[in-house]
Amino acid sequence: MTGERTKKAEKKTKARGNGEGTVWKEGDVYRWQVTLGYKTDGKRITRSGRAASKKAAHDAMNKVQADYSRGLIGEPAKVTVAEYAGRWQRRQLQVTPRTANQYGEELAYALEYIGDMRLQDVRPHHMKDLMVTLSKRQMHGGTVMSPRTQARVLTRLRSVFREAVTDQIIYVNPMEGVRQVKATRAASAGEALDFDQASRLHTIGTALHAAGLCRQWPAIFTAVSIGLRRGEVMGLTWQDIDLERGVLRIRQTRVMGLEEIEMGDPKTVNSRRDVHLPRHWWPCCWTTGLHRRRSVRQQAARGPERARSSRRH
């Protein structure tokens, strides 16, 4: 009877299919091993272990299989944080190259300290210590890193490690529970101009422009009075300005790219808009019109090609 049971057990073991794993006795313990899948190079992804009893070995093996099927176990990899951060940055195709480059600059602050670490070795306590270090990091001008820059670095790190989880390289996100270090509130750099100050600024700026001492005054006053981004002001063309109706059309921006100044789309979908100019801006409309005619005359005097460029901008 004992022999028949042994034969049945052997048949049952042999009947186990691929991916079901194997359990065997080794000395006083039971060992187990299971193939979870295959890497892109054809190598197997396996897990193994030991347990005090056969049932405990099966339970451990079944738990590993369940975790892997839910994406909780990542493929072993020796990729470093810096290597994976570069991979993540190259995937950011939904943003402009200039924005992606800015993401890289923000991540660089963190990679100074954790870039050489294996991605799978990073733990929450590493990231919490990192945020403390960054809060004390000396920046240009002798100041420490601002809370705003710290927040951006933290946002990028969260995105990188969150994607590493979805790629199944790690199965626990080390950014969970990591917060920005609270800093002493810095003194305000100043206050916004009130109505009287803005009025005086307009008077002085208009006088300087009329005297030929502030050629860019229309652009400066437009940015100050309407609240446009710098790139939006720089991207304005004469076709975007309706002086009769007092409407400004924001259709493109002019910003510094990776190597040179580039024309591009506004920052967001809602940034592409028509701005109805306030009444206090209308006197500047006439100044702008005079500026345009003066600019065309100046460029025409320098040559036909420069004049055509002036009419475009």
Side-chain angles (χ1 to χ4, degrees), residues 64-105:
V64 167
Q65 290 173 309
D67 288 346
Y68 184 78
S69 65
R70 290 186 297 161
L72 299 179
I73 295 181
E75 176 182 338
K78 295 183 179 180
V79 62
T80 65
V81 177
E83 291 170 345
Y84 189 78
R87 185 187 307 176
W88 173 87
Q89 186 179 351
R90 291 190 293 272
R91 291 176 177 176
Q92 306 309 303
L93 302 179
Q94 76 280 6
V95 299
T96 64
R98 179 172 178 267
T99 300
N101 186 63
Q102 182 178 341
Y103 289 170
E105 293 175 353

Side-chain angles (χ1 to χ4, degrees), residues 37-239:
Y38 294 87
K39 303 179 184 179
T40 56
D41 59 4
K43 294 182 180 180
R44 294 189 302 173
I45 303 172
T46 63
R47 288 292 187 276
S48 60
R50 60 179 64 192
S53 66
K54 188 175 184 179
K55 181 179 182 305
H58 278 290
D59 290 342
M61 186 172 62
N62 292 336
K63 182 179 184 302
V64 167
Q65 290 173 309
D67 288 346
Y68 184 78
S69 65
R70 290 186 297 161
L72 299 179
I73 295 181
E75 176 182 338
K78 295 183 179 180
V79 62
T80 65
V81 177
E83 291 170 345
Y84 189 78
R87 185 187 307 176
W88 173 87
Q89 186 179 351
R90 291 190 293 272
R91 291 176 177 176
Q92 306 309 303
L93 302 179
Q94 76 280 6
V95 299
T96 64
R98 179 172 178 267
T99 300
N101 186 63
Q102 182 178 341
Y103 289 170
E105 293 175 353
E106 292 164 356
L107 282 171
Y109 292 124
L111 298 181
E112 290 180 12
Y113 305 98
I114 63 171
D116 293 334
M117 293 184 64
R118 290 177 65 247
L119 199 65
Q120 293 182 338
D121 291 340
V122 180
R123 297 293 182 266
H125 69 86
H126 293 133
M127 307 313 295
K128 293 176 181 178
D129 291 343
L130 172 64
M131 296 312 298
V132 173
T133 301
L134 291 179
S135 69
K136 301 176 182 178
R137 186 186 188 280
Q138 292 293 315
M139 307 292 284
H140 296 296
T143 61
V144 297
M145 181 179 290
S146 68
R148 183 179 182 183
T149 302
Q150 293 178 49
R152 288 179 174 177
V153 175
L154 185 61
T155 298
R156 304 299 162 239
L157 289 172
R158 285 172 176 164
S159 297
V160 168
F161 284 100
R162 184 164 54 243
E163 188 150 326
V165 173
T166 62
D167 282 347
Q168 296 187 8
I169 295 179
I170 58 176
Y171 57 92
V172 175
N173 190 340
M175 295 304 296
E176 294 293 336
V178 178
R179 299 289 183 267
Q180 181 179 343
V181 177
K182 290 186 177 181
T184 304
R185 187 177 181 86
S188 174
E191 298 179 355
L193 299 179
D194 59 28
F195 182 81
D196 291 336
Q197 291 171 332
S199 178
R200 289 198 297 272
L201 175 64
H202 175 259
T203 301
I204 296 172
T206 303
L208 292 174
H209 180 265
L213 300 177
C214 187
R215 184 171 177 272
Q216 300 299 329
W217 167 247
I220 295 172
F221 187 72
T222 299
V224 171
S225 60
I226 303 177
L228 299 183
R229 297 182 177 95
R230 179 174 57 183
E232 294 174 342
V233 175
M234 297 296 293
L236 288 174
T237 65
W238 293 115
Q239 290 74 21

